[in-house]
Amino acid sequence: NAGVTQTPKFRVLKTGQSMTLLCAQDMNHEYMYWYRQDPGMGLRLIHYSVGEGTTAKGEVPDGYNVSRLKKQNFLLGLESAAPSQTSVYFCATSGPGATAPFSYEQYFGPGTRLTVT
Amino acid sequence: EDKVVQSPLSLVVHEGDTVTLNCSYEVTNFRSLLWYKQEKKAPTFLFMLTSSGIEKKSGRLSSILDKKELSSILNITATQTGDSAIYLCAVEDSYNTDKLIFGTGTRLQVFP
């Protein structure tokens, strides 16, 4: 059981480039989330998904898009990267026992460190 | 605006000490409060609290919620160097968007 995995682990982008971060889970969880973590800011929710084919905006969605075409994968896209998107990105999932997206403990992936120059 | 505030921001103690970490919140429609421990990478779940006054315990860690004071504490007794981490508090707001709002964390350093 790999749990929650994220690829890539590290990435450096130039301003204006695009990229996709992949989150994969093998726990059969319904709910998946993308967070960013910045110094002094805590974790902030970017987008989340309550099931295959669904997505919803979180606290800081601007500049990001997401897709959940398969239950086990949640993709985070940056269409035109900006230096303000330099951050550590965490994916998380929650599953059986959850009555609503945030009503149960979340399992986090190892994170992706993204630098935009 | 909804917010979660943790204190202290940073704490340095010696092994064996007992520490208390605080989390206070202002959230429109409270559903639950969660504590996470973050070491080098991803946060790991510690506790979920939904009812006031009921202590949750796991080994040397315990936590309790006070809905009247809009706060929670996380206690760690007989601290060990392995307890060194950032402790994150998060509150679930069930109103409309079901947001989970994180505090900025308390950095705990335990020295031998």
Side-chain angles (χ1 to χ4, degrees):
Chain A
N1 258 1
V4 183
T5 59
Q6 292 182 231
T7 51
K9 290 190 171 67
F10 304 94
R11 186 74 186 267
V12 178
L13 286 180
K14 292 185 178 176
T15 298
Q17 286 185 318
S18 63
M19 78 163 294
T20 300
L21 282 66
L22 170 64
C23 176
Q25 52 112 349
D26 61 4
M27 297 185 287
N28 202 32
H29 284 175
E30 284 296 332
Y31 305 119
M32 296 187 76
Y33 318 83
W34 275 108
Y35 292 92
R36 60 178 288 174
Q37 187 174 38
D38 303 295
M41 300 288 285
L43 280 160
R44 292 182 292 169
L45 182 67
I46 305 171
H47 287 279
Y48 65 100
S49 168
V50 301
E52 182 179 317
T54 74
T55 63
K57 292 181 181 179
E59 184 185 355
V60 288
D62 294 341
Y64 305 95
N65 56 74
V66 287
S67 64
R68 183 101 180 266
L69 298 178
K70 293 183 181 180
K71 185 176 182 178
Q72 62 267 34
N73 295 336
F74 195 28
L75 278 64
L76 177 71
L78 286 73
E79 287 186 351
S80 179
S84 61
Q85 293 177 305
T86 294
S87 188
V88 180
Y89 292 86
F90 286 101
C91 173
T93 73
S94 64
T99 56
F102 301 99
S103 67
Y104 206 63
E105 62 182 281
Q106 295 182 26
Y107 297 84
F108 284 80
T112 295
R113 183 173 293 277
L114 174 67
T115 302
V116 183
T117 60
Chain B
E1 186 182 327
D2 295 337
K3 62 180 178 182
V4 175
V5 177
Q6 292 185 244
S7 62
L9 289 179
S10 182
L11 198 51
V12 179
V13 300
H14 289 286
E15 271 192 321
D17 288 349
T18 293
V19 297
T20 299
L21 281 56
N22 299 285
C23 176
S24 63
Y25 60 90
E26 292 177 23
V27 171
T28 308
N29 288 281
F30 176 89
R31 176 178 281 171
S32 66
L33 184 144
L34 301 94
W35 284 97
Y36 288 86
K37 177 182 181 182
Q38 185 173 22
E39 294 175 87
K40 288 183 181 171
K41 287 193 174 175
T44 54
F45 174 82
L46 293 175
F47 300 111
M48 173 182 273
L49 305 163
T50 54
S51 301
S52 211
I54 299 175
E55 185 183 55
K56 291 217 171 174
K57 203 170 168 62
S58 176
R60 295 176 294 101
L61 277 67
S62 64
S63 184
I64 196 162
L65 176 67
D66 186 340
K67 285 188 180 178
K68 195 172 175 185
E69 295 296 324
L70 305 182
S71 65
S72 172
I73 59 170
L74 175 68
N75 279 321
I76 309 175
T77 59
T79 52
Q80 302 171 357
T81 54
D83 295 326
S84 296
I86 295 173
Y87 290 83
L88 295 167
C89 171
V91 172
E92 183 188 359
D93 179 351
S94 60
Y95 183 70
N96 281 345
T97 57
D98 287 316
K99 291 190 296 185
L100 187 65
I101 305 148
F102 280 84
T104 54
T106 292
R107 181 181 292 275
L108 174 65
Q109 292 175 278
V110 183
F111 287 99

